Amino acid sequence: MVKKKEGQLAATYDASKIKILGGIEAVRKRPAMYIGSTGKSGLHHLIYEVVDNSIDEALAGHCDNISITITKENSVMVEDDGRGIPFDKHKETKRPAVEVVLTTLHAGGKFGDSVYKVSGGLHGVGVSCVNALSEWMEAEITREGETYFQHYDRGKPRKEKLGPAKQKDKRGTRITFKPDKQIFTETDFDNKTVAHRLRELAYLNRGVKITFTDEREKGKDNHTQVFQYEGGILSYVDHLNEKKDRLYKPPIYFSAEKEHICVEIAMQHCKDYYDENIFSFVNCIKTKEGGTHEVGFKSALTKAINSYGRKNNLAKEDESLSGDDVREGLTAVINLRIPEPQFEGQTKTKLGNSEVKGLVDSVVIDNLNAYLDKNPAVAKAVIERALMAYRVRQAARKAQELERKKSALDTALLPGKLADCSESNAAKCELFLVEGDSAGGSAKQGRDRRFQAILPLRGKILNVEKARIDKILTSNEIRTMITAIGPGVISGLSGDGGKEELSEEEFFKKLNYHKVVIMTDADVDGAHIRTLLLTFFFRYARKLIEGGHLYIAQPPLFLVKKGKSQEYVYNEKQLEKTMKKLGRDGAHLQRYKGLGEMNPGQLWETTMNPEARTLLQVTIEDAEDADEIFKILMGSEVEPRRKFIQENAKYVKNLDV
Ligand code: 0RA
């Protein structure tokens, strides 16, 4: 018997408890199965999981404030002013309900009374998982004049305390936890990542006040950030388009509820901007891979605009606007709440529910028709903008057809400047995109011609952010490059990176080289060309990046010689080390400014030889962040652009290949 201390409840471990602990062991044994990874993304997932529960309480209308605090020791406190998780005795286990919630697998996912809970997929694994993966967790709940406290070690309840509440009318839930170093390879939270998600949640849940405090950032302006948006996703679109020239203000907004599904959409077209940015969410989860809600939205948008154009004689009978035309320059946020979402796709971020397509389609048609009828000036501007896109696209298509006819005669179709490799298996092949003819020459001589192909690029390629589609297609450098890599990989002529158009499998078949390596000089010009290439691939061949096929070569910055020994050095830090190792006296330092300064042998040895080189693999963090950065890069302000180019690390992570 456990002796019952004053103010403490006895912990009795009956059969059901053993089952519960079994659940926790399962989570600790295979954490990635529950939270995706044990790296940074899994770590952040812990916070989101806990915050989601408070968001649910807010959605149910019982809570207005949520605060999240990261402490100096990287523990996290999430507090809300909701009803408080009940702590009365659970019937079966005779334990406080909150303990059952925090220690039982999957009990957590359904303990709120909100119907919009996520079953499986990314979220909804339950706070019990967070508990299981934390060195410790503490819950403090105040409701009905009482405060209940419980401490857990690695998911196991240790001590608890029940007493009168300090403040009479106070209520709410506070969960504090410290991620377990035994589980996570990374335990430092990233301020920006967390802030980004919390801001997103605040946009998606109109009015909720989310206060984010990072105690590690004392004295800095991001120490405390408050996110609260009375306009919800309308404010979100406003924010996304902040720096752009808008076609109309404010954004178009509408919402509807049908068959327990809530649809909310905000959208706005921009003038001098040719891409489309559609961000969709289902139960606060970003559906990066799109799905039936996006399909419904897109088809309705095309229909509504075409029918308005015809009805009002704004477009000719034979001018049928395509989806790409009506979405050019569009920013839209789609926010869906649905009782039983089905998530599909590689990253489980594609909505699969088939009934949603027609539902969203009809909501958009009805609301957009009404909006356009009421706002003829906006309607006219939207149609004219789409017509312009239509005409440009027609012209581009014609140019492309002509081109195709011409090149049909030229069977090889390979650009003359390409020095191809002999290997025919694309999986083994590498294509180096090299800046300048002289470096291209060295690379051609230095390479292993069995599997390495070289394509020299002259000067700066087109700035794709500002150029229109017809120009992009007719740019020589881009065309040559597309032909070499495989014409079929370019699918994002709508500017969405080809999200819908090609399956993974089809894409692979069309790729002539499974590694495409950007090799530019280690100076500002080189960085600029690299950025231009990244922009191009991001916009028009995003799958190349997503599939991990795009790399950046790392040429050395210095050669240090002393006596008979010599060493290549790739960064300043390494230089420091090398100088220490070899000794400064009599050391000779050669700085490489360009690839052209190296002879073919050196280029092979330092930058191209798979045994010795370091390649940086290009990754996409997030389309929205990327959009932001490209805007800075290509925008008219020079200073932020220069700064970014100098830092230039956002898209690449270090990877030894
Ligand atoms: C179920 C019932 C009730 C509250 C909650 C769940 C609840 C859960 C969480 C998780 C984080 N914050 C929360 N706040 C509340 C209470 C039902 C009632 O009082 O009648």
Side-chain angles (χ1 to χ4, degrees):
M1 263 299 276
V2 182
K3 207 168 166 206
K4 196 171 170 181
K5 286 190 200 151
E6 210 179 4
Q8 242 183 306
L9 305 167
T12 50
Y13 288 84
D14 53 21
S16 63
K17 187 62 69 51
I18 290 165
K19 213 165 72 197
I20 289 165
L21 291 180
I24 280 169
E25 288 315 318
V27 177
R28 290 182 61 82
K29 208 165 162 187
R30 285 185 235 287
M33 228 177 80
Y34 296 86
I35 53 161
S37 86
T38 53
K40 271 244 149 87
S41 123
L43 179 76
H44 289 111
H45 203 90
L46 301 181
I47 301 189
Y48 307 154
E49 191 62 45
V50 178
V51 173
D52 275 359
N53 290 299
S54 298
I55 291 280
D56 280 334
E57 186 68 0
L59 275 181
H62 302 294
C63 143
D64 305 312
N65 296 285
I66 302 172
S67 75
I68 294 92
T69 306
I70 299 178
T71 69
K72 286 210 172 82
E73 50 151 0
N74 273 289
S75 68
V76 182
M77 184 177 90
V78 179
E79 189 170 18
D80 67 51
D81 60 354
R83 291 165 299 173
I85 308 177
F87 46 79
D88 51 339
K89 287 251 174 74
H90 179 244
K91 278 191 214 93
E92 277 169 54
T93 53
K94 305 208 170 52
R95 298 295 307 148
V98 58
E99 181 185 303
V100 177
V101 164
L102 294 182
T103 55
T104 313
L105 224 45
H106 295 303
K110 296 281 177 198
F111 68 87
D113 50 8
S114 156
V115 287
Y116 304 111
K117 279 288 182 184
V118 182
S119 53
L122 272 173
H123 295 233
V125 288
V127 200
S128 58
C129 281
V130 181
N131 194 3
L133 301 176
S134 294
E135 188 188 311
W136 55 261
M137 180 184 266
E138 286 176 352
E140 189 185 292
I141 298 139
T142 303
R143 51 181 280 150
E144 293 160 5
E146 286 184 305
T147 295
Y148 174 81
F149 168 89
Q150 193 168 30
H151 177 100
Y152 306 83
D153 287 324
R154 302 205 156 91
K156 294 177 187 158
R158 291 298 186 215
K159 46 182 180 213
E160 59 185 337
K161 198 173 167 184
L162 179 65
K166 282 204 187 101
Q167 277 168 270
K168 209 172 138 248
D169 295 326
K170 192 184 147 102
R171 44 169 230 174
T173 302
R174 176 198 282 177
I175 304 269
T176 317
F177 64 94
K178 182 169 163 67
D180 195 347
K181 278 204 162 66
Q182 293 176 358
I183 301 280
F184 292 94
T185 55
E186 282 268 7
T187 47
D188 279 349
F189 290 102
D190 180 56
N191 180 288
K192 280 215 180 94
T193 308
V194 176
H196 182 273
R197 172 64 180 160
L198 296 178
R199 185 183 298 110
E200 188 172 273
L201 281 172
Y203 279 125
L204 294 173
N205 299 281
R206 178 174 46 214
V208 179
K209 183 173 173 184
I210 300 180
T211 307
F212 175 39
T213 307
D214 190 338
E215 288 179 347
R216 304 165 306 174
E217 306 282 327
K218 252 212 165 94
K220 297 194 201 141
D221 50 358
N222 62 344
H223 179 237
T224 297
Q225 292 165 273
V226 178
F227 308 118
Q228 184 178 31
Y229 306 103
E230 293 306 337
I233 61 168
L234 191 142
S235 309
Y236 199 2
V237 169
D238 243 341
H239 162 77
L240 289 166
N241 284 346
E242 214 161 49
K243 299 189 189 104
K244 298 177 197 156
D245 194 1
R246 303 127 195 248
L247 197 60
Y248 47 87
K249 281 180 192 172
I252 301 172
Y253 172 89
F254 49 84
S255 69
E257 185 181 342
K258 265 189 184 177
E259 293 156 39
H260 300 293
I261 295 176
C262 302
V263 186
E264 186 189 26
I265 291 173
M267 55 183 266
Q268 186 177 42
H269 287 85
C270 298
K271 283 185 200 159
D272 296 326
Y273 195 80
Y274 304 104
D275 301 313
E276 65 174 75
N277 275 304
I278 300 179
F279 299 107
S280 64
F281 300 85
V282 174
N283 297 356
C284 294
I285 295 166
K286 190 170 194 166
T287 33
K288 287 192 188 184
E289 296 172 278
T292 49
H293 52 335
E294 280 194 21
V295 175
F297 167 72
K298 287 181 184 174
S299 82
L301 183 67
T302 310
K303 279 187 279 183
I305 293 181
N306 269 305
S307 91
Y308 184 90
R310 286 226 184 85
K311 208 168 64 187
N312 295 279
N313 293 323
L314 293 169
K316 291 192 200 108
E317 205 51 52
D318 64 337
E319 287 179 315
S320 168
L321 301 170
S322 73
D324 288 340
D325 298 331
V326 302
R327 295 194 301 271
E328 204 180 83
L330 175 73
T331 301
V333 173
I334 303 173
N335 192 17
L336 220 73
R337 291 196 206 286
I338 164 168
E340 277 180 65
Q342 288 151 20
F343 291 109
E344 301 173 347
Q346 252 189 341
T347 54
K348 292 268 174 283
T349 56
K350 180 175 185 175
L351 186 70
N353 302 53
S354 55
E355 74 278 14
V356 168
K357 182 177 171 249
L359 192 140
V360 173
D361 186 303
S362 76
V363 166
V364 175
I365 287 267
D366 293 350
N367 285 280
L368 213 50
N369 281 343
Y371 176 92
L372 294 173
D373 283 337
K374 254 191 240 149
N375 300 274
V378 176
K380 189 158 176 260
V382 169
I383 301 244
E384 273 169 6
R385 197 195 182 307
L387 272 174
M388 179 71 89
Y390 167 83
R391 285 167 194 150
V392 169
R393 232 179 283 273
Q394 286 302 99
R397 216 159 271 154
K398 274 187 197 132
Q400 215 180 8
E401 262 162 35
L402 262 178
E403 187 66 26
R404 222 175 265 141
K405 273 185 202 141
K406 258 196 291 174
S407 56
L409 303 170
D410 175 11
T411 45
L413 217 135
L414 279 179
K417 288 167 84 187
L418 175 80
D420 208 355
C421 53
S422 54
E423 172 65 52
S424 58
N425 178 0
K428 294 184 186 163
C429 294
E430 303 178 347
L431 174 67
F432 283 79
L433 305 171
V434 187
E435 169 188 0
D437 284 334
S438 84
S442 293
K444 280 180 191 176
Q445 288 175 46
R447 68 180 171 144
D448 185 331
R449 61 181 64 241
R450 281 174 306 177
F451 65 96
Q452 293 180 321
I454 309 294
L455 180 66
L457 295 175
R458 192 178 299 146
K460 290 183 189 170
I461 64 159
L462 252 164
N463 178 340
V464 288
E465 177 83 7
K466 284 189 171 163
R468 299 206 54 139
I469 271 163
D470 50 344
K471 267 205 203 146
I472 290 169
L473 290 173
T474 51
S475 140
N476 261 332
E477 294 303 310
I478 298 240
R479 266 205 339 235
T480 311
M481 197 171 70
I482 295 173
T483 313
I485 295 174
V489 305
I490 305 302
S491 58
L493 290 186
S494 58
D496 69 350
K499 211 154 71 169
E500 301 281 356
E501 294 154 47
L502 270 186
S503 79
E504 215 58 48
E505 234 170 286
E506 288 169 318
F507 183 81
F508 279 133
K509 275 194 216 139
K510 300 192 172 180
L511 198 57
N512 289 331
Y513 308 87
H514 280 205
K515 280 203 176 95
V516 175
V517 186
I518 300 172
M519 189 155 82
T520 54
D521 286 343
D523 59 7
V524 173
D525 271 350
H528 200 186
I529 293 169
R530 184 162 65 236
T531 309
L532 290 173
L533 285 168
L534 284 177
T535 311
F536 174 74
F537 289 122
F538 175 76
R539 297 288 181 209
Y540 300 104
R542 201 171 294 174
K543 279 212 161 80
L544 193 75
I545 305 178
E546 285 169 346
H549 298 294
L550 190 62
Y551 296 85
I552 292 174
Q554 286 284 93
L557 285 183
F558 304 100
L559 174 63
V560 183
K561 275 188 189 160
K562 186 171 171 181
K564 275 189 188 145
S565 56
Q566 63 168 42
E567 232 172 88
Y568 293 103
V569 174
Y570 293 82
N571 54 50
E572 305 281 342
K573 218 177 184 177
Q574 200 187 352
L575 180 65
E576 199 71 22
K577 269 194 200 157
T578 309
M579 292 305 261
K580 242 184 217 155
K581 196 174 73 186
L582 298 178
R584 269 169 216 276
D585 285 348
H588 175 77
L589 186 66
Q590 184 188 350
R591 173 188 263 279
Y592 292 116
K593 284 198 219 77
L595 298 163
E597 292 173 31
M598 272 182 279
N599 65 40
Q602 287 172 318
L603 198 55
W604 162 257
E605 218 179 302
T606 58
T607 316
M608 298 177 74
N609 177 4
E611 306 285 319
R613 72 187 178 193
T614 303
L615 292 184
L616 301 176
Q617 189 175 37
V618 179
T619 64
I620 295 182
E621 294 259 344
D622 186 333
E624 190 196 332
D625 282 357
D627 184 51
E628 188 68 23
I629 300 226
F630 283 122
K631 254 186 302 177
I632 296 173
L633 281 174
M634 306 309 165
S636 45
E637 281 174 72
V638 176
E639 200 37 51
R641 178 162 67 226
R642 178 174 307 145
K643 200 166 152 236
F644 175 82
I645 289 175
Q646 276 159 4
E647 292 166 2
N648 200 281
K650 180 82 192 175
Y651 290 94
V652 290
K653 69 175 182 217
N654 244 307
L655 192 93
D656 285 305
V657 178

